[in-house]
Amino acid sequence: MRVLIIEDEIKIARNITRVLDEEYSWAVDISTDGEDGRHMAMTNPYDLIILDLGLPKIGGLEILKDLRKKGMTTPVLILTARDDTRDIVQGLESGGDDYIVKPFDMRELMARCQALVRRSYGRVDPVIKVGDISINTAKHQVIFRKETVRLSAMEYRLFEYLAMRAGEVVSKADIVEHLYSFGSENFSNVVEVYICSLRKKLGSGQSGEVIHTLRNQGYVLGELPR
Amino acid sequence: MTSLSLKWRISLWISAVLMAVIVIISVVAYIEFEESHLRSIDRTLKAMANGIVSSLDTSSDKEKWAEEVSEVTGRSDKNPSTLYRIWLDGSSADLLASDAPDSEHGRWLRELPEQNRPLIEESNFMNPSLPGNEYRAVWLRHKINGGIVNIVVAGSSYYTYHEMHEFLRLLLILGTSMIIGSVVVTMWTVGCGLHPIDMTAERLKDITRPNIGEVIFDDKKVPKELRPFMVALNDMLSRLDRVLQQQKQFTSDAAHELRTPLSLAKSTLQAAQIHQKQPGEYRQAINDSLEDIARMEHLIEQLLVLARLDEVGGDTAKGEVQLDVLLCELTETYGKKMERSGGKVILEEPPDMTINGDLDELIHLFSNVLDNATKYGPPDGTVNVTLGYGPDDYATVRIYNKGDHISPEALPHLFDRFYRVDPSRSKSTGGAGLGLSIAREIAHRHKGDISITSSPDSGTLVCIRLARA
């Protein structure tokens, strides 16, 4: 999953990044001003945007409205010090999906981020089951035939994304866009390496491969679409 | 004593005045009316008496004379209300009388009180009290050949008095209804006049903090006299509303400002707590948190200073302050800070100057301005400070830095609380936008002022004026 944090307090942004990375293995981009943040939000397929309202150059609400006007459906979590009910209502009515007032609890923020991303992929249950594999997105746990499988951060990141979109064809470009933050070394051939290692760790399903490769199209986790 | 309502007081006053006027008019009218009636009765009686006198002189035949007299007086069996008696002085026998001596009227005619007796050829009027009717009588004495003849003619004044009583009753009814009418009209008028006040009071009752700015008293029905009151009330409410809004804004800004470093520290500590970390990372987290706490401390201190300055009547502990010495010390302190980045702070030959002020507050004032000058100017630039006498009884301190200038849009807001020219930059410098508003408060408390001018060519000049005495 790839998250964008638009927050002018760089320390807060860094702290959230650290936690999302360590706990969820999510890729995080940070923007500290409105103009830059809006540009990033418009040009990248983020799974979640954490948005401050009081931003230099362009205010958070304006960014939010612009995003919605462009038809972008990315979940937006507003994280701000403004605690007035009017602000909260306005934030949500402008297209925000959730609202957290500073000072916030990091665990709550994480849980809300998780829930928003899950919902945006149409999942209600944090536990996704694909054949013999169950993936608990909240606990960051993958169980294969009743045994916990240890995955590296990048392997988990990739597997979680595939699991969210289980049964769909996911292109390699999609994977790359959702797995790597700006500035990280996103060599596209690395995706194959991770797929390979995942197949090894999760073995083959009863009806063959768990992760199918469709030539020139991408990958599918679980049953192939008809 | 409970005071009567205005409505009643005005009504009572008006009815009292009205009553007095009506009573006076009634009394005067009654007296005049009575007098004119009596005069007309008297004239008739006198005419009758004179008629009798002339008949005395002309008639020789007694029978004919009696007839003439009853013709003159109009006395007949049908009209027994006129009484008369004619007799000679010294004789008890009547020459002529309308009533028999044993009748009631006859008795009165024969027992006239001596004090009413007129002089010869003169007449006297009386108001005899006879049973039944009111009477008016004239007694006339006339000299004739055979001696002095007394003539008494009495006529009933019943109709006169009856009319008088009717008139009095009319006056009473008219007066009373006028008073009642005036009371009703007054009460109604005063009630109408006072209605806007009741209405206003009713509306004032409903004013609470959330709707204080919405209630407006500009009804068209308000009488002219109450308009200034309504206008003043409106003004007061809008002033209160403004103050409340400012207060609300200030509280919300202060909370916001405190929240930022608080959430920083909290997020740092929570991020450190969630996962096992290296000792170096923990140390970094602690340092970061301490920095944020220091920022909070600074902010709270500034808020407290502002709160103290805002206190009504919170007078400064004024004493003699050597402004030149104070500026010397402060420029040195800030000069050292600037030296690290290659800049300097220069105080240009200050004259000796003592002003009456609060040392702590003045330190606060100049520190805030110098802090801004050193922070927002170029790091290797020069900050010039001058101190001078004038204008008038003021001391003027000018703090000037060439370099960074403030945009013309930002200039009017510099002294607003929590205003920051560039919100993102203040995060790195740690300011909350309170320094200059504190500085201005302090300047005002020293009967002075602070102003800032800025342009790209000449840099930024802060001018602080303080009253010397």
Side-chain angles (χ1 to χ4, degrees):
Chain A
M1 298 296 131
R2 188 171 167 197
V3 179
L4 171 65
I5 302 175
I6 310 177
E7 164 68 72
D8 59 341
E9 284 285 354
I10 185 71
K11 274 201 217 164
I12 289 189
R14 263 197 232 126
N15 288 331
I16 298 171
T17 307
R18 189 188 293 170
V19 173
L20 289 180
D21 177 40
E22 284 173 357
E23 289 295 293
Y24 291 159
S25 305
W26 285 359
V28 184
D29 287 327
I30 297 176
S31 169
T32 51
D33 77 69
E35 209 174 282
D36 177 52
R38 184 173 65 177
H39 177 73
M40 284 173 81
M42 296 253 189
T43 49
N44 294 286
Y46 289 104
D47 294 301
L48 174 71
I49 296 169
I50 298 175
L51 181 68
D52 187 9
L53 291 185
L55 290 167
K57 294 181 189 167
I58 300 173
L61 276 182
E62 206 177 316
I63 297 177
L64 183 54
K65 283 177 193 162
D66 286 353
L67 285 178
R68 295 307 184 219
K69 217 183 280 170
K70 281 234 163 179
M72 302 199 70
T73 54
T74 318
V76 173
L77 187 151
I78 298 166
L79 178 65
T80 176
R82 296 181 200 164
D83 67 338
D84 201 86
T85 313
R86 253 181 305 171
D87 289 320
I88 298 176
V89 170
Q90 201 185 7
L92 295 175
E93 283 180 349
S94 305
D97 296 278
D98 205 349
Y99 198 104
I100 294 188
V101 176
K102 290 178 190 172
F104 57 96
D105 193 279
M106 199 59 99
R107 290 210 174 272
E108 185 189 334
L109 175 77
M110 287 163 64
R112 282 177 190 267
C113 289
Q114 181 74 254
L116 284 173
V117 171
R118 197 205 309 146
R119 260 290 170 197
S120 75
Y121 282 101
R123 306 256 166 211
V124 211
D125 193 348
V127 181
I128 303 165
K129 287 196 173 111
V130 183
D132 300 337
I133 309 162
S134 92
I135 168 166
N136 188 330
T137 54
K139 288 187 180 160
H140 206 259
Q141 213 176 28
V142 180
I143 294 167
F144 177 53
R145 291 182 183 153
K146 290 179 184 168
E147 269 177 52
T148 308
V149 183
R150 289 183 65 85
L151 297 179
S152 76
M154 279 311 290
E155 283 166 356
Y156 179 81
R157 201 184 280 182
L158 171 57
F159 190 64
E160 188 190 49
Y161 182 62
L162 288 177
M164 286 284 189
R165 297 185 61 181
E168 281 177 55
V169 182
V170 184
S171 73
K172 209 168 123 184
D174 260 3
I175 294 177
V176 171
E177 277 185 325
H178 282 271
L179 255 52
Y180 296 100
S181 59
F182 265 118
S184 60
E185 298 166 24
N186 48 347
F187 305 112
S188 50
N189 58 339
V190 180
V191 174
E192 273 115 29
V193 178
Y194 288 128
I195 295 275
C196 203
S197 119
L198 278 174
R199 276 183 180 142
K200 247 181 236 166
K201 286 187 179 174
L202 299 168
S204 302
Q206 285 160 338
S207 53
E209 291 283 346
V210 179
I211 303 170
H212 307 276
T213 310
L214 300 179
R215 192 167 294 275
N216 294 332
Q217 288 187 57
Y219 304 93
V220 179
L221 179 67
E223 281 181 33
L224 281 169
R226 281 169 201 171
Chain B
M1 198 185 100
T2 51
S3 61
L4 280 169
S5 75
L6 188 63
K7 210 151 67 170
W8 277 105
R9 260 189 282 172
I10 293 177
S11 304
L12 282 181
W13 272 111
I14 287 182
S15 34
V17 170
L18 210 61
M19 206 188 299
V21 170
I22 289 172
V23 165
I24 290 169
I25 289 175
S26 307
V27 168
V28 169
Y30 186 83
I31 291 170
E32 286 290 318
F33 199 55
E34 188 181 29
E35 269 180 13
S36 86
H37 265 277
L38 286 181
R39 263 200 303 276
S40 104
I41 293 180
D42 289 354
R43 260 200 307 278
T44 314
L45 290 176
K46 190 82 180 284
M48 287 180 186
N50 286 336
I52 293 170
V53 168
S54 58
S55 68
L56 268 180
D57 297 337
T58 52
S59 300
S60 45
D61 182 2
K62 197 171 181 192
E63 196 82 348
K64 217 171 182 188
W65 176 56
E67 236 171 69
E68 213 167 309
V69 166
S70 54
E71 204 172 289
V72 165
T73 55
R75 167 75 188 222
S76 64
D77 292 339
K78 280 180 192 163
N79 175 25
S81 63
T82 310
L83 321 174
Y84 56 88
R85 179 183 167 222
I86 304 156
W87 75 99
L88 284 170
D89 253 9
S91 146
S92 60
D94 302 332
L95 291 178
L96 198 66
S98 58
D99 293 72
D102 53 346
S103 75
E104 216 165 346
H105 291 160
R107 243 194 325 275
W108 172 75
L109 285 171
R110 282 158 191 89
E111 288 163 12
L112 292 167
E114 269 313 297
Q115 76 261 22
N116 283 345
R117 180 197 293 268
L119 298 172
I120 298 161
E121 297 305 329
E122 279 186 20
S123 53
N124 220 350
F125 291 95
M126 297 168 284
N127 284 322
S129 49
L130 280 166
N133 276 332
E134 299 277 348
Y135 275 88
R136 180 82 174 164
V138 66
W139 185 350
L140 186 118
R141 288 173 80 213
H142 178 63
K143 202 172 179 182
I144 51 165
N145 298 335
I148 293 162
V149 65
N150 286 279
I151 303 162
V152 169
V153 185
S156 165
S157 60
Y158 168 78
Y159 287 105
T160 307
Y161 279 99
H162 181 71
E163 245 173 86
M164 296 284 290
H165 288 145
E166 284 291 307
F167 178 63
L168 196 65
R169 201 181 310 156
L170 188 75
L171 280 179
L172 272 176
I173 292 170
L174 215 65
T176 316
S177 41
M178 266 173 86
I179 287 169
I180 291 171
S182 77
V183 166
V184 169
V185 169
T186 313
M187 296 268 265
W188 184 76
T189 315
V190 173
C192 279
L194 292 182
H195 178 67
I197 292 184
D198 293 341
M199 202 177 61
T200 310
E202 208 51 50
R203 270 193 248 169
L204 282 174
K205 260 190 231 158
D206 293 334
I207 294 180
T208 49
R209 209 174 151 158
N211 65 2
I212 188 162
E214 296 162 15
V215 186
I216 298 163
F217 300 97
D218 57 355
D219 299 272
K220 290 194 173 64
K221 283 183 196 163
V222 173
K224 211 167 152 192
E225 292 83 351
L226 286 178
R227 262 188 202 280
F229 170 70
M230 294 299 195
V231 169
L233 202 63
N234 264 343
D235 285 354
M236 185 195 73
L237 284 174
S238 59
R239 270 199 312 276
L240 270 180
D241 184 43
R242 246 190 335 269
V243 170
L244 279 176
Q245 289 298 337
Q246 277 170 1
Q247 198 67 37
K248 198 178 159 198
Q249 187 61 42
F250 180 75
T251 318
S252 116
D253 286 345
H256 183 94
E257 290 298 329
L258 276 170
R259 244 181 218 154
T260 307
L262 184 65
S263 46
L264 271 174
K266 194 173 170 186
S267 73
T268 307
L269 292 171
Q270 283 184 330
Q273 184 198 34
I274 283 174
H275 239 73
Q276 187 75 32
K277 302 257 163 35
Q278 298 296 317
E281 286 180 282
Y282 284 123
R283 206 171 302 128
Q284 184 59 45
I286 291 171
N287 287 343
D288 282 355
S289 307
L290 284 175
E291 229 173 72
D292 297 328
I293 289 170
R295 193 167 137 186
M296 275 187 263
E297 266 184 328
H298 179 66
L299 182 60
I300 289 169
E301 194 194 324
Q302 282 192 317
L303 288 174
L304 284 175
V305 168
L306 264 184
R308 211 179 56 224
L309 293 178
D310 278 347
E311 259 175 43
V312 183
D315 212 7
T316 44
K318 279 186 176 169
E320 288 201 340
V321 178
Q322 279 187 284
L323 210 53
D324 50 319
V325 177
L326 171 66
L327 285 173
C328 255
E329 283 171 13
L330 284 174
T331 45
E332 205 174 308
T333 313
Y334 281 91
K336 276 179 191 159
K337 276 191 198 167
M338 285 285 275
E339 260 172 41
R340 283 178 227 151
S341 56
K344 50 193 166 178
V345 181
I346 299 169
L347 175 63
E348 287 160 14
E349 286 298 309
D352 291 347
M353 193 184 296
T354 311
I355 69 160
N356 185 29
D358 181 321
L359 181 61
D360 286 343
E361 287 187 3
L362 288 173
I363 290 176
H364 222 109
L365 162 60
F366 291 115
S367 300
N368 281 343
V369 178
L370 280 169
D371 195 50
N372 281 344
T374 53
K375 229 188 267 175
Y376 295 112
D380 56 348
T382 307
V383 176
N384 289 73
V385 182
T386 62
L387 168 66
Y389 282 97
D392 303 327
D393 288 332
Y394 288 97
T396 303
V397 180
R398 287 188 171 82
I399 297 171
Y400 170 74
N401 73 321
K402 200 172 165 65
D404 230 14
H405 86 284
I406 303 160
S407 69
E409 300 87 59
L411 274 177
H413 301 290
L414 287 178
F415 297 103
D416 293 354
R417 290 174 182 189
F418 297 108
Y419 180 80
R420 284 179 291 217
V421 178
D422 181 359
S424 57
R425 214 176 93 168
S426 68
K427 302 232 163 130
S428 52
T429 49
L434 287 175
L436 282 178
S437 50
I438 291 177
R440 187 171 65 171
E441 287 291 329
I442 296 173
H444 284 173
R445 281 162 74 92
H446 286 79
K447 294 180 201 118
D449 207 354
I450 177 169
S451 62
I452 298 181
T453 48
S454 187
S455 73
D457 307 323
S458 54
T460 303
L461 172 70
V462 182
C463 191
I464 302 157
R465 227 157 30 97
L466 299 169
R468 276 188 282 136

